[in-house]
């Protein structure tokens, strides 16, 4: 599992500003702080941690579906049971965040977010963050050097060094997005529970239930660098 989300709070704190793509709420604890700090706090609240158990559960349900395809129903049943237990633990790990599906992206790109704006449910539900990574901002023309910088920053995050990851982005002048993958917690639990029932007598329906869980993944992103550049330019103008 990529544990970059565990380190994101430190990465955001290491950058001079953060503009969340969709996290606009302020809690009582952030209402009294400057706008930049409030945005950082809101982004950290939504993205600061990934769910280890959620990630484990999702990997197991994918493996269970593969086991069904291979005819290993005993193995699939064991994996489904393990996924159920991991999701039960994930309910209590305080990583889930409240968002409406319409506020999230069906794929990792920002362009898809614009194209799909207004689609999906507008009712907030609990989303379980299961994975995350830094990606090159879509507005930036990709080059070998910029792609290498983002890859290096991701390696530093996974190694537990968010300060170094932030420094790589700053020195390289690279605009990056931190993209997380999330699943609707209760819906995923229901899908896996259905699979647990169907695996006893109808493996095909069990596989369909697991496929529904896989297809429920949605994405969200925080812009790590772009606002910093804008503020830096603004600051230079004022001097």
């Amino acid at each position: 599992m990529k544990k970059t989300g565990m380190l994101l709070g430190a990465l955001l704190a290491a950058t001079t500003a953060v503009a969340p793509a969709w996290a606009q709420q302020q809690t009582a604890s952030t209402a009294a702080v400057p706008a930049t700090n409030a945005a950082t706090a809101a982004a950290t609240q939504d993205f600061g941690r990934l769910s280890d158990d959620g990630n484990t559960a999702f990997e197991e349900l994918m493996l269970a579906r593969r086991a069904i395809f291979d005819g290993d129903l005993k193995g699939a049943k064991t994996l489904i049971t393990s996924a159920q237990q991991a999701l039960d633990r994930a309910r209590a790990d305080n990583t889930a965040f409240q968002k409406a599906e319409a506020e999230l992206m069906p794929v990792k790109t920002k362009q898809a977010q614009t194209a799909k704006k207004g689609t999906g449910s507008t009712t907030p539900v609990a989303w379980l963050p299961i994975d995350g990574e830094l990606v090159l901002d879509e507005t930036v023309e990709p080059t070998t050097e910029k792609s290498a910088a983002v890859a290096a920053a991701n390696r530093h995050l996974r190694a537990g060094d968010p300060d170094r990851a932030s420094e790589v982005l700053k020195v390289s002048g690279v605009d990056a997005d931190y993209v997380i993958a999330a699943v609707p917690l209760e819906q995923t639990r229901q899908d896996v529970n259905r699979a647990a029932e169907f695996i006893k007598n109808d493996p095909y329906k069990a596989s369909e239930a697991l496929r529904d869980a896989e297809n429920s993944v949605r994405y969200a992103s925080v812009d790590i660098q772009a606002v910093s550049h804008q503020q830096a330019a603004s600051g230079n103008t004022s001097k």
Side-chain angles (χ1 to χ4, degrees):
M1 171 187 175
K2 289 180 277 206
K3 299 182 184 296
T4 53
M6 300 292 183
L7 309 165
L8 183 65
L11 174 64
L12 297 183
T15 58
T16 56
V18 176
W22 50 266
Q24 300 297 329
Q25 305 95 322
Q26 292 186 18
T27 63
S29 62
T30 64
V33 299
T36 295
N37 292 340
T40 300
T44 303
Q45 177 184 352
D46 280 340
F47 292 100
R49 296 175 60 223
L50 299 180
S51 173
D52 283 338
D53 286 315
N55 178 274
T56 296
F58 201 76
E59 288 184 349
E60 288 175 335
L61 70 86
M62 289 191 296
L63 289 173
R65 192 175 177 212
R66 185 180 305 171
I68 293 173
F69 180 81
D70 291 338
D72 180 11
L73 300 186
K74 182 178 180 180
K77 183 177 180 180
T78 299
L79 286 164
I80 291 170
T81 298
S82 182
Q84 286 178 299
Q85 295 169 347
L87 286 170
D88 286 341
R89 294 192 301 270
R91 295 183 78 190
D93 68 10
N94 296 318
T95 60
F97 57 88
Q98 293 285 326
K99 284 291 170 185
E101 182 181 358
E103 297 179 79
L104 304 178
M105 300 178 285
V107 294
K108 291 183 179 182
T109 66
K110 286 182 179 178
Q111 291 177 352
Q113 182 184 35
T114 301
K116 297 289 185 179
K117 187 175 181 181
T119 64
S121 173
T122 58
T123 302
V125 298
W127 290 82
L128 191 66
I130 59 173
D131 203 357
E133 66 177 340
L134 289 163
V135 298
L136 190 64
D137 188 279
E138 289 183 353
T139 63
V140 177
E141 183 176 354
T143 65
T144 300
E145 292 77 11
K146 291 175 182 177
S147 296
V150 172
N154 270 318
R155 287 196 297 273
H156 290 305
L157 279 181
R158 293 164 194 157
D161 193 349
D163 290 338
R164 180 58 180 157
S166 175
E167 188 64 22
V168 167
L169 295 178
K170 288 181 180 179
V171 171
S172 304
V174 174
D175 288 346
D177 296 326
Y178 183 80
V179 179
I180 80 164
V183 294
L185 176 55
E186 294 306 321
Q187 178 185 324
T188 303
R189 291 182 69 247
Q190 291 171 15
D191 290 336
V192 176
N193 289 341
R194 284 194 296 120
E197 287 297 319
F198 287 135
I199 194 63
K200 302 171 185 177
N201 302 305
D202 195 335
Y204 179 79
K205 286 187 176 180
S207 180
E208 283 190 328
L210 296 174
R211 183 186 61 192
D212 289 343
E214 289 183 32
N215 290 340
S216 70
V217 178
R218 294 294 182 271
Y219 300 91
S221 67
V222 165
D223 188 338
I224 297 297
Q225 193 86 352
V227 173
S228 299
H229 292 167
Q230 294 169 3
Q231 288 194 341
S234 175
N236 291 337
T237 301
S238 62
K239 287 184 180 180

